[in-house]
Amino acid sequence: MSFKSIAIDGPAGAGKSTLAKKLAEQLGFLYVDTGAIYRTVALKVLWEKADPSDPAQVVPLLEGLELHMGYDSDGVQRMYLEGEDVSAAIRRHKVSGAASQVSAIPEVRAFLLDLQRKLARENDVVMDGRDIGTVVLPDADVKIFLTAAPEARARRRLLELEQRGEAANYDAILHDIRERDRQDETRPIAPLRRADGTALLDTTQLNLEQSCDRLLSLVKEKIAL
Ligand code: DC
C-alpha cells in the first residue's frame, strides 16, 4: 500500500502549522510538524547548557537522545524529551533561536531525516518544515511553498502573543523574523527555498479561511481525494 504525502515548506510565521494541521484534519492525514522536532533537539542542547551553534557540543548529544512524538486523540502532535512532555517548552522564544542554529548543523539534519521519512513511509502525511519538498520528500504527491510578507507575519505573531497575554513588541518581532529568514535561507545545508514543481501560496492578503480554501484547492488539483 502506498501512502500519500503533502510537503509544505515556508518561512517562520507564514501560518504553516495552522494551515497544515487543518489540511491534515480535512484529509484524515497525519500532521507532522518537523520544526517541533528541531525545537526538541534544541531544547536538549539548552538543558545541557551547550552552545547550539557549536557542532562539537551539539553532535555528541544526538547519541542517546530520547526524543519521541505522540498524538492526542484530536491529532495534536506532542513532543517528548526524556519522557517529559515538552510541547509547550519548545515554543519559548529562546528555543526558536536555538532551533534555527542546531538546524544548520549537517549531523542534526541527517539524524532527523530518517525519522521524518519513516513517518511518510508508514502514513498519509501532511508534513511541514523548510526542506520537506527539497530534501526530505522530494517525490511528495503535492509540494507547496507557503509564504507571506515579513510584516504580515510579524503582525500575526504580535496578535498571537497579545492574545496569550504575553508582552510583545512589533519591531522586535519583525527584526526576529527577518533574522530567522536570513539564517534559514543562507545556511549551506538544506536552505529554505522553493523546490521545483512547487505551488506557491502567498497568504499576505488572505485570512485564515481564505488560506485554507486555497490550500485545499491546490491539493485537489494534484491528487484525487
Ligand atoms: O517551523 P519552526 O519555527 O518551528 O522551526 C524551528 C526551526 O527549525 C527553524 O528555524 C528552522 C528549522 N527547521 C528546519 O531547518 N527544517 C525543518 N524541516 C523544520 C524546521
Side-chain angles (χ1 to χ4, degrees):
M1 175 168 175
S2 89
F3 290 99
K4 297 241 179 299
S5 52
I6 299 174
I8 302 184
D9 292 302
K16 288 190 306 293
S17 328
T18 311
L19 291 172
K21 186 169 175 302
K22 272 196 175 298
L23 179 68
E25 264 167 35
Q26 284 166 324
L27 304 179
F29 285 18
L30 187 71
Y31 166 54
V32 183
D33 170 1
T34 63
I37 311 177
Y38 283 94
R39 285 169 179 272
T40 305
V41 174
L43 184 64
K44 168 70 178 171
V45 172
L46 296 176
W47 275 4
E48 297 299 325
K49 302 200 171 12
D51 175 355
S53 68
D54 181 2
Q57 294 184 42
V58 173
V59 175
L61 297 175
L62 296 174
E63 202 181 321
L65 182 74
E66 261 189 74
L67 175 159
H68 299 284
M69 291 169 68
Y71 287 90
D72 283 351
S73 52
D74 51 358
V76 174
Q77 177 182 316
R78 305 205 77 84
M79 296 304 306
Y80 299 88
L81 183 59
E82 293 165 14
E84 187 177 323
D85 184 344
V86 293
S87 313
I90 58 170
R91 297 293 151 198
R92 286 199 207 111
H93 185 69
K94 201 171 173 206
V95 182
S96 303
S100 185
Q101 290 175 314
V102 299
S103 71
I105 300 174
E107 288 87 346
V108 172
R109 304 204 73 84
F111 180 80
L112 297 183
L113 190 61
D114 288 345
L115 173 72
Q116 296 169 80
R117 286 193 175 147
K118 186 167 185 287
L119 285 163
R121 266 200 311 275
E122 296 174 353
N123 304 277
D124 288 318
V125 291
V126 176
M127 193 174 280
D128 85 33
R130 302 294 190 287
D131 63 338
I132 310 306
T134 50
V135 178
V136 180
L137 306 174
D139 299 323
D141 299 276
V142 187
K143 295 199 264 186
I144 290 162
F145 194 85
L146 188 74
T147 191
E151 294 78 9
R153 291 188 271 139
R155 275 196 303 276
R156 290 174 193 163
R157 178 82 184 133
L158 180 70
L159 202 67
E160 195 184 302
L161 289 171
E162 284 174 353
Q163 281 168 353
R164 290 213 301 248
E166 290 180 37
N169 171 285
Y170 173 81
D171 291 327
I173 295 173
L174 182 59
H175 176 271
D176 229 63
I177 282 184
R178 290 208 162 111
E179 183 50 29
R180 278 223 282 157
D181 282 0
R182 194 191 58 74
Q183 278 186 31
D184 294 344
E185 286 164 9
T186 59
R187 67 183 178 210
I189 177 168
L192 173 65
R193 65 174 180 83
R194 213 179 133 191
D196 292 340
T198 305
L200 179 69
L201 176 54
D202 185 328
T203 66
T204 306
Q205 309 288 348
L206 306 179
N207 65 26
L208 181 62
E209 199 188 333
Q210 292 166 327
S211 304
C212 284
D213 290 349
R214 186 81 197 97
L215 183 59
L216 189 59
S217 49
L218 282 173
V219 169
K220 284 182 175 163
E221 279 169 25
K222 301 271 180 192
I223 49 177
L225 294 166

